[in-house]
Amino acid sequence: VPLHSVETFLKSTVFGIYGSNLMAGNFEHQLRQLFQGVLEMRSQVNHPLLNKNTPLSLVTGGGPGAMEIGNQVAKELHILSCANIVDFRAKEGDPVVNEQLQNPYIEAKMTYRLDKLVERQAEFNLDFPIFLTGGIGTDFEYALEEVRRKVGSVPITPILLLGEVNYWKQKVTTRFKCNLETGTIKGSEWLSNCFFCIQNADQGLKIYREFFQGTLPIGRTGPIYEDGFVIVP
């Protein structure tokens, strides 16, 4: 972290973008509106994670595609733009994945060796994850955010799924219903109320506003959604 940004980094509420390194998607405009709205919301709410004195930072995996869009938008809006990067170079032989290039919008970073991939994932420490279109890595990150909330290692905060409802149904619903029907998530069905599928920034800001005002039905005593997530109207 640059020395002049250390205080911001330590005190900030952390948003994060999970998504594909292969495709950026058409999310840039909505992400910009979303984070502009969050910045404005600081003067409208008084919550430990968001108030007039809250600095913001955003963390991605540091690569191209969806991650680059996130870092670019953050830097444009003077949100501290951070990344947890993996060095995908193999020690011997050819790498099993394409080497991931670092995007140019990162202001603070940590780089992890390939054998520290799981440790790296544990150190995202996001207050508010946002998922975009992604592949195997994104699926892994989705499961980790579920587990963190299930076991209580992080506070229960809303997670946004930005994209079409049918896409997220294909990603999430089949697995959720299988676990539901077999009884393997008994007592944890409430996790479905932590994930909110949105198509635009206004929907995301509505969820954040309700959360910061204490009116969002979320957590262990909240409702259960048969799709495995909330479809925000």
Side-chain angles (χ1 to χ4, degrees):
V1 181
L3 290 178
H4 67 272
S5 299
V6 169
E7 195 74 6
T8 296
F9 180 78
L10 292 175
K11 293 183 177 180
S12 64
T13 289
V14 184
F15 289 77
I17 299 292
Y18 292 129
S20 173
N21 71 315
L22 298 175
M23 57 183 67
N26 58 347
F27 302 112
E28 182 178 349
H29 176 66
Q30 297 302 335
L31 285 176
R32 186 174 288 104
Q33 285 195 324
L34 179 69
F35 288 117
Q36 285 174 332
V38 172
L39 289 169
E40 294 170 3
M41 201 181 296
R42 291 183 300 180
S43 63
Q44 303 165 4
V45 299
N46 187 20
H47 187 277
L49 288 173
L50 196 75
N51 55 68
K52 63 182 181 180
N53 298 315
T54 308
L56 303 182
S57 62
L58 180 133
V59 180
T60 76
M67 295 174 279
E68 182 168 342
I69 293 299
N71 287 125
Q72 178 182 355
V73 169
K75 191 170 183 180
E76 287 177 2
L77 297 178
H78 305 292
I79 294 169
L80 185 61
S81 180
C82 311
N84 286 347
I85 300 166
V86 177
D87 181 354
F88 282 107
R89 293 174 295 180
K91 290 183 179 179
E92 298 179 1
D94 296 329
V96 295
V97 297
N98 295 325
E99 186 173 341
Q100 181 172 296
L101 299 176
Q102 178 180 319
N103 76 63
Y105 302 103
I106 297 165
E107 299 170 295
K109 67 178 181 179
M110 177 67 78
T111 302
Y112 296 79
R113 293 185 176 91
L114 189 54
D115 62 348
K116 301 299 181 183
L117 183 64
V118 174
E119 287 90 334
R120 169 252 197 180
Q121 208 57 50
E123 294 176 3
F124 269 73
N125 298 318
L126 304 181
D127 296 305
F128 296 99
I130 300 169
F131 282 86
L132 310 183
T133 302
I136 293 171
T138 306
D139 297 341
F140 173 52
E141 290 155 347
Y142 189 103
L144 284 174
E145 292 296 349
E146 278 186 308
V147 171
R148 287 183 176 117
R149 281 154 182 77
K150 175 182 176 178
V151 302
S153 64
V154 298
I156 297 170
T157 58
I159 298 171
L160 301 185
L161 311 177
L162 181 52
E164 294 302 319
V165 171
N166 285 339
Y167 172 79
W168 291 108
K169 281 187 175 182
Q170 291 179 69
K171 277 277 190 187
V172 175
T173 304
T174 302
R175 180 171 65 91
F176 179 77
K177 286 187 174 181
C178 178
N179 288 336
L180 197 64
E181 291 166 4
T182 55
T184 53
I185 56 170
K186 187 174 182 181
S188 299
E189 302 94 333
W190 61 268
L191 285 167
S192 61
N193 69 44
C194 296
F195 294 83
F196 297 83
C197 181
I198 64 170
Q199 286 78 59
N200 58 63
D202 288 341
Q203 292 171 315
L205 291 170
K206 174 180 180 289
I207 296 304
Y208 286 151
R209 186 173 292 105
E210 290 179 4
F211 175 77
F212 293 128
Q213 292 175 343
T215 60
L216 187 68
I218 187 173
R220 292 175 176 82
T221 61
I224 297 168
Y225 294 88
E226 62 180 15
D227 291 310
F229 57 86
V230 184
I231 299 174
V232 181

